[in-house]
Amino acid sequence: METELSRQLGIEHAIFGFTPFPAVAAAISRAGGFGVLGAVRYTAPDDLARDLDWLHDHTDGKPYGLDVVMPARKVEGVSESDAEAMIPEGHRQFVRDTLAEHGVPELAEGERSGWRITGWMEDVARRQLDVAFDRPVRLLANALGSPPADVVERAHDHGALVAALAGSARHARHHAEAGIDVVVAQGYEAGGHTGEIASMVLTPEVADAVAPLPVLAAGGIGSGEQIAAGLALGAQGVWLGSLWLTTTEARLGSRALTAKLLAAGSGDTVRSRALTGKPARQLRTAWTDAWDDPAGPGPLPMPLQGLLVADAVSRIQRYEVEPLLGTPVGQIVGRMNAERPVQEVFDDLTRGFERAVDRINRIAGRSRS
């Protein structure tokens, strides 16, 4: 499953795996793909440094990357405390009422929130980059589009490619103009932040818009046959995220959440701003329903929503309050029916890819006769 991009990065298969778990990222790279560690949950640079060092030591010398979340335009002088002060009291009361309705206990005294997404804040993301560029990271991806110009330049000086996610051809052209090396065409079906155009339409549009830049297809991909489809549409590889959540190397920290993922169908997700303030596909729960209810106050913009719900999400996860328990995940969740090691998932992907290629070759052969 080699393409020009995979050969450039020195990987066997053009499969890029995004994950918040270092063990999963390492296993993806060892299997011949390209593991990309998500940095958004790291609030302390020392924690990110520790996990990147662990990742480096467990990839058998194979390359890996880092995914950050930062806006293209720098906002000066806005700290986390400044943002916290902008959250209306009515929204805080709505959170308290929703948690009370479902009997969610408080965290124990002195127990800190384990889900504190401040990586949306640019100053936090820049500290993450300081850590990353002290290590041989081969690719820097940004989930909010093109990173600031100085970050792109710094990554290139470091010898790393820069990737940016796009939900439309217009976004993709902007990335190309900003000097981005790889565009991830993320379709409507994808987990996390995603736009409104489906992958089958989006991938060829983006590939045409930014040619000859390499494009990765993302969204709704969980089989080798779907990988073959993405390459047939003009991509040079695929970007997979949701599929790894139910691997044995993943550390969701909740058996109840894993059970919900394994039981979910492809129709059990929703695009909601409940988690971060931007539309993000996730499991539909009583929590997303509450925030999407027109009778409620509605979500705040990013990063305020993420700061507002951080402690609440930690409590929901800590006590595994099933009706509220969810996670970002794509529509491919309907295929995630068993816990399997990353290598086993990879084996299925490559076998499915071979089946798809053989099938098309047979069809093409018959059409020529």
Side-chain angles (χ1 to χ4, degrees):
M1 205 183 302
E2 289 187 353
T3 65
E4 183 179 346
L5 178 61
S6 70
R7 287 189 290 271
Q8 181 181 358
L9 288 169
I11 58 176
E12 183 179 359
H13 302 297
I15 298 174
F16 294 72
F18 164 80
T19 173
F21 307 113
V24 176
I28 291 168
S29 289
R30 290 197 306 271
F34 192 97
V36 181
L37 179 65
V40 72
R41 294 178 184 268
Y42 291 91
T43 58
D46 289 347
D47 291 342
L48 178 60
R50 177 201 62 217
D51 282 359
L52 280 176
D53 288 341
W54 186 95
L55 177 59
H56 181 78
D57 291 341
H58 290 81
T59 54
D60 294 343
K62 305 291 181 62
Y64 55 89
L66 187 73
D67 180 278
V68 297
V69 179
M70 62 189 312
R73 293 183 177 85
K74 183 176 178 61
V75 179
E76 300 285 356
V78 179
S79 65
E80 181 180 346
S81 59
D82 293 332
E84 288 273 10
M86 298 167 65
I87 297 173
E89 177 56 31
H91 281 73
R92 295 188 186 277
Q93 187 60 50
F94 181 76
V95 170
R96 289 192 289 266
D97 291 344
T98 303
L99 296 177
E101 178 184 348
H102 291 272
V104 182
E106 296 279 355
L107 293 175
E109 186 176 353
E111 184 176 356
R112 179 171 169 74
S113 167
W115 194 94
R116 192 69 176 170
I117 291 189
T118 56
W120 313 118
M121 308 295 293
E122 184 182 348
D123 61 330
V124 176
R126 285 185 176 274
R127 290 196 294 273
Q128 294 169 346
L129 293 177
D130 290 338
V131 170
F133 291 140
D134 280 339
R135 289 155 179 81
V137 171
R138 291 290 307 280
L139 180 138
L140 174 69
N142 187 34
L144 281 185
S146 304
D150 68 296
V151 172
V152 176
E153 181 179 2
R154 188 177 177 191
H156 288 163
D157 290 343
H158 183 71
L161 298 180
V162 180
L165 275 63
S168 71
R170 178 176 61 85
H171 292 156
R173 282 190 289 267
H174 174 76
H175 297 339
E177 293 166 359
I180 299 303
D181 305 293
V182 181
V183 177
V184 181
Q186 180 157 292
Y188 172 82
E189 308 95 324
H193 296 127
T194 186
E196 298 182 350
I197 304 174
S199 298
M200 183 65 75
V201 174
L202 180 66
T203 301
E205 284 188 354
V206 170
D208 289 344
V210 301
L213 283 184
V215 170
L216 300 178
I221 300 175
S223 72
E225 289 83 355
Q226 290 167 313
I227 293 174
L231 298 186
L233 293 172
Q236 285 199 31
V238 293
W239 178 274
L240 309 182
S242 298
L243 193 63
W244 317 110
L245 289 173
T246 52
T247 57
T248 54
E249 292 89 345
R251 295 290 182 265
L252 285 178
S254 169
R255 294 305 305 169
L257 180 54
T258 298
K260 288 188 76 169
L261 288 170
L262 294 174
S266 57
D268 292 327
T269 69
V270 64
R271 284 174 76 244
S272 172
R273 297 193 294 124
L275 192 61
T276 70
K278 283 185 175 292
R281 185 171 297 284
Q282 55 202 280
L283 282 179
R284 182 177 179 179
T285 66
W287 180 256
T288 62
D289 286 348
W291 282 104
D292 295 340
D293 188 340
L300 296 168
M302 180 185 280
L304 302 184
Q305 183 71 11
L307 294 171
L308 168 66
V309 305
D311 288 341
V313 172
S314 282
R315 290 165 59 186
I316 292 167
Q317 293 177 345
R318 170 70 175 79
Y319 297 108
E320 296 189 322
V321 183
E322 197 277 340
L324 302 175
L325 192 61
T327 186
V329 69
Q331 292 180 334
I332 200 63
V333 69
R335 294 183 64 98
M336 296 157 49
N337 301 317
E339 290 184 81
R340 300 183 295 165
V342 167
Q343 184 64 61
E344 185 176 324
V345 173
F346 245 86
D347 291 343
D348 275 356
L349 293 175
T350 53
R351 283 193 294 263
F353 179 80
E354 291 171 356
R355 287 194 301 268
V357 171
D358 288 345
R359 185 181 305 122
I360 294 301
N361 284 338
R362 290 196 300 272
I363 293 170
R366 286 195 296 271
S367 66
R368 287 195 298 267
S369 61

